[in-house]
Amino acid sequence: MELNQQTLLDMLYYMKLTREIETRIERKLYRQGKIVGGVYVGRGQEAIAVGSAIQLEKDDCICPSHRDMGAFLIRGITPREVFAQYMGRKTGVTKGKEANMHMGDMRRGIVAFVSMLADTVPVAAGIAMTFKMRKQANVVLCYFGDGATSRGDWHEGLNLASVQKAPVVYICNNNCYAYSTPLEKQMAVKDVAVRGAAYGMPGVTVDGNDVAEVFRATREAISMARRGGGPTLIECKTFRMTGHSAHDDVKYVEKELFEEWEKKDPILRLETSLLESKTVSQEAVKKLAARITREIDEALAIAENDPFPDPAETLDGVYADQSAEAPLAFANTFFSQVR
Ligand SMILES: Cc1ncc(C[n+]2csc(CCOP(=O)(O)OP(=O)(O)O)c2C)c(N)n1
């Protein structure tokens, strides 16, 4: 895929759409009590999912983590589905079984995030090995945070992928914190990228707030993976411009750090560069913002009126064998007790 004007404009659209959807989720719906449970967003990290996932082809696959909303949107999850998912509606991706970002859809090449950090990393290696065995020229993009790279499964997954020359690109959102733990208290190396060398894998570090840089590094890694050259580890340096989750007041992060990174906001940067190069006009930027607000308003209005699932559907799609009696008996007993 060329990094031309149209690609840049498409990326601006997806980055802004991500920001606006997540702002509604984190700062409105959650505070209104319409979303219960944890809410994790990728405010400030939008360039990473967008600059990479935009290059995928139809039968490629993503293994997103909890700050990669842009990748879901690019793979075809609609804003209505996202809102319905978070509000536990039947029309959500998990049909109301989970009200968070642990959502996947194999038809759209999205493998649901395993909540145990780094557990998706060996899974991604396995999917990529399947592509290779089937002689399909497809790739897997696997996302995670810096904290996940200190988990054992992460290392086993990278090793396996590298030994097998699996067509997978490992993408780290290095946002300086793992919840409240700053980088230097979490790992003894400065860059996550150097960890690739231990597994004979190229490791590159890019400015994760520069969508063009993310795009170029991913393009090279995808091309190598499709040619049978094996995996790459891409570390995208960025910053989480909000709390770990919606309930977190981030008192442990200096105010100055937020101010510093506000200036490096990836959306602001792309928009400014497109305006300065006269690729877009002020008028077009305003129109894009209005289009996104309209799309979100419409999607949210529909999702809010969407039904909750029927309790009788609780187990649908949960067990491979729908006729299994034990879980049904358990569910019947459970519901007869709560009713
Ligand atoms: C094995 C494991 N330990 C702890 C948690 C709880 N937890 C969820 S997100 C998170 C922080 C992860 O940090 P990082 O990997 O850097 O990603 P970030 O949240 O910064 O994007 C923690 C500790 C978990 N989900 N899995």
Side-chain angles (χ1 to χ4, degrees):
M1 181 187 250
E2 290 298 309
L3 185 53
N4 55 26
Q5 284 188 5
Q6 190 53 50
T7 311
L8 288 165
L9 289 173
D10 289 347
M11 293 199 293
L12 181 63
Y13 166 75
Y14 279 115
M15 285 164 70
K16 284 173 84 90
L17 185 65
T18 303
R19 175 76 58 93
E20 293 309 314
I21 287 178
E22 292 195 330
T23 300
R24 296 281 180 114
I25 288 173
E26 184 194 35
R27 300 184 177 189
K28 197 166 177 191
L29 298 170
Y30 175 79
R31 291 179 190 177
Q32 289 172 337
K34 292 179 181 168
I35 295 175
V36 291
V39 161
Y40 311 86
V41 298
R43 192 181 191 82
Q45 305 181 202
E46 295 88 348
I48 299 163
V50 171
S52 49
I54 196 126
Q55 309 181 55
L56 291 182
E57 290 171 10
K58 193 174 153 284
D59 294 323
D60 292 335
C61 176
I62 56 166
C63 296
S65 188
H66 51 300
R67 308 201 195 272
D68 306 305
M69 177 68 81
F72 287 98
L73 297 171
I74 289 171
R75 293 306 285 174
I77 302 288
T78 64
R80 176 211 178 164
E81 285 178 288
V82 173
F83 288 127
Q85 167 74 13
Y86 276 82
M87 294 189 294
R89 307 303 157 113
K90 192 176 168 166
T91 46
V93 186
T94 59
K95 301 186 170 64
K97 292 192 172 58
E98 210 270 346
N100 208 301
M101 94 306 287
H102 304 99
M103 52 182 173
D105 182 354
M106 296 307 283
R107 287 162 308 178
R108 292 180 268 196
I110 306 168
V111 176
F113 169 48
V114 187
S115 187
M116 294 307 292
L117 292 176
D119 275 14
T120 323
V121 173
V123 172
I127 299 165
M129 283 164 64
T130 308
F131 285 151
K132 195 179 159 189
M133 285 174 193
R134 290 182 180 163
K135 302 198 187 326
Q136 271 175 250
N138 290 109
V139 295
V140 183
L141 297 190
C142 178
Y143 300 88
F144 41 81
D146 44 276
T149 74
S150 295
R151 291 269 309 158
D153 291 342
W154 186 86
H155 294 265
E156 291 181 26
L158 255 74
N159 184 55
L160 179 67
S162 193
V163 168
Q164 295 291 333
K165 286 217 175 306
V168 53
V169 182
Y170 286 113
I171 302 176
C172 177
N173 279 261
N174 181 350
N175 63 9
C176 305
Y177 283 86
Y179 200 145
S180 52
T181 310
L183 271 184
E184 65 278 11
K185 292 205 171 147
Q186 186 260 111
M187 54 189 216
V189 286
K190 205 170 121 283
D191 301 314
V192 166
V194 302
R195 294 185 156 180
Y199 307 106
M201 184 186 304
V204 287
T205 299
V206 298
D207 179 346
N209 283 25
D210 180 343
V211 75
E213 240 191 75
V214 174
F215 183 97
R216 286 192 205 96
T218 317
R219 184 172 55 189
E220 196 169 313
I222 289 177
S223 150
M224 182 169 105
R226 283 201 210 282
R227 287 196 314 269
T232 302
L233 168 63
I234 303 177
E235 173 190 21
C236 303
K237 301 249 193 211
T238 185
F239 184 71
R240 194 189 67 204
M241 286 168 59
T242 188
H244 168 71
S245 59
H247 72 269
D248 175 18
D249 62 14
V250 272
K251 283 211 175 104
Y252 51 87
V253 180
E254 299 292 329
K255 207 170 124 265
E256 291 70 31
L257 210 50
F258 276 106
E259 289 166 1
E260 188 189 317
W261 283 89
E262 285 280 337
K263 293 184 203 128
K264 299 190 234 173
D265 183 325
I267 297 179
L268 181 71
R269 268 172 78 175
L270 177 58
E271 211 165 80
T272 309
S273 98
L274 291 174
L275 283 167
E276 280 174 5
S277 63
K278 302 213 185 311
T279 307
V280 290
S281 61
Q282 277 290 1
E283 193 55 31
V285 169
K286 270 196 206 142
K287 264 197 183 154
L288 182 66
R291 172 186 158 197
I292 288 170
T293 306
R294 194 180 58 245
E295 285 177 5
I296 290 179
D297 285 344
E298 284 171 10
L300 188 51
I302 297 172
E304 284 204 81
N305 282 310
D306 277 342
F308 287 102
D310 188 319
E313 297 162 7
T314 309
L315 290 177
D316 289 359
V318 174
Y319 295 94
D321 180 2
Q322 292 289 333
S323 64
E325 292 197 352
L328 276 177
F330 169 78
N332 284 334
T333 317
F334 178 77
F335 281 114
S336 65
Q337 283 167 0
V338 282
R339 276 204 191 111

